[in-house]
Every structure is written in C-alpha cells, then in structure tokens.
Amino acid sequence: MIGMEYFGNKLKAVRKAKKLTQAEFAKALGVSSSIIAAYEQGKNFPSVSILIEICKTLGVSSDYLLGLSDEISIKLSGLSEDEAQAFLQLIGLFEINRDKNRY
C-alpha cells in the first residue's frame, strides 16, 4: 500500500504542472483549499468520489496518482509540429539515458 505522502507529492506535482493554484483546484473540485493542502501534505486521503473528480480535473489516471503506474498521458495539442517533435526527442533522450543506467 502506498503512503499518503507519496500520493500527496504526485498530486501536487500534477496540479502545479497544470498551473492550478490550490484555491483554483479546490474550487473545481468543490472542496476547500485546506482539504487540498491536507491531501498534498499526506495528512488526509480523498474519498473515492473525490479521487475520481481529481483524476478528471487533472486528466490523469488514478493508477498514476496511486503509484500503480508510472505512465502518464501527454497531450501535444497546442504545440507546433516542431515543438511536439522536440518534446518527443527529449523524452527519447531520457529513455535512452535510463536504459544506459540500468546496465
């Protein structure tokens, strides 16, 4: 079982990547900012219904937030063809580096 702190760290990282403040995120979920802070600090864990709303709002899977998967979908819409290509090349470099460090 994962710790609440692990979940909180992932939640905070994804929220920040989506450029949402705790207040904005809380409003979208219909909860208080202090609830979001408690989740992110590992002091509390959301109910299943709130977890579903978190996933919908942030566009991530519960598997990712819960540590069951490291895969996260990335939408490239809004990027030019050159920007998308550069981004995919960067990801490829990370994968190559990771594979080199395994052996």
Side-chain angles (χ1 to χ4, degrees):
M1 182 173 187
I2 68 153
M4 287 191 294
E5 188 175 316
Y6 179 86
F7 170 81
N9 289 337
K10 282 224 171 178
L11 178 64
K12 184 176 184 177
V14 176
R15 175 186 58 78
K16 285 186 166 192
K18 298 288 183 174
K19 298 185 180 182
L20 290 170
T21 65
Q22 284 184 341
E24 292 167 335
F25 187 44
K27 184 176 181 182
L29 296 175
V31 299
S32 69
S33 295
S34 62
I35 294 290
I36 300 302
Y39 295 159
E40 291 182 358
Q41 293 168 10
K43 294 179 180 177
N44 202 350
F45 197 78
S47 66
V48 172
S49 60
I50 294 294
L51 179 60
I52 290 168
E53 290 306 310
I54 287 170
C55 294
K56 287 179 183 178
T57 301
L58 296 178
V60 296
S61 72
S62 59
D63 284 357
Y64 178 76
L65 291 176
L66 296 172
L68 301 173
S69 169
D70 286 332
E71 294 184 21
I72 187 167
S73 63
I74 299 171
K75 294 181 183 178
L76 299 178
S77 60
L79 296 179
S80 70
E81 185 65 33
D82 289 341
E83 291 169 332
Q85 196 64 27
F87 184 73
L88 293 172
Q89 288 174 350
L90 179 63
I91 291 172
L93 290 174
F94 280 114
E95 290 173 345
I96 289 168
N97 188 49
R98 181 191 61 225
D99 291 342
K100 285 182 181 178
N101 289 330
R102 284 186 184 166
Y103 304 106

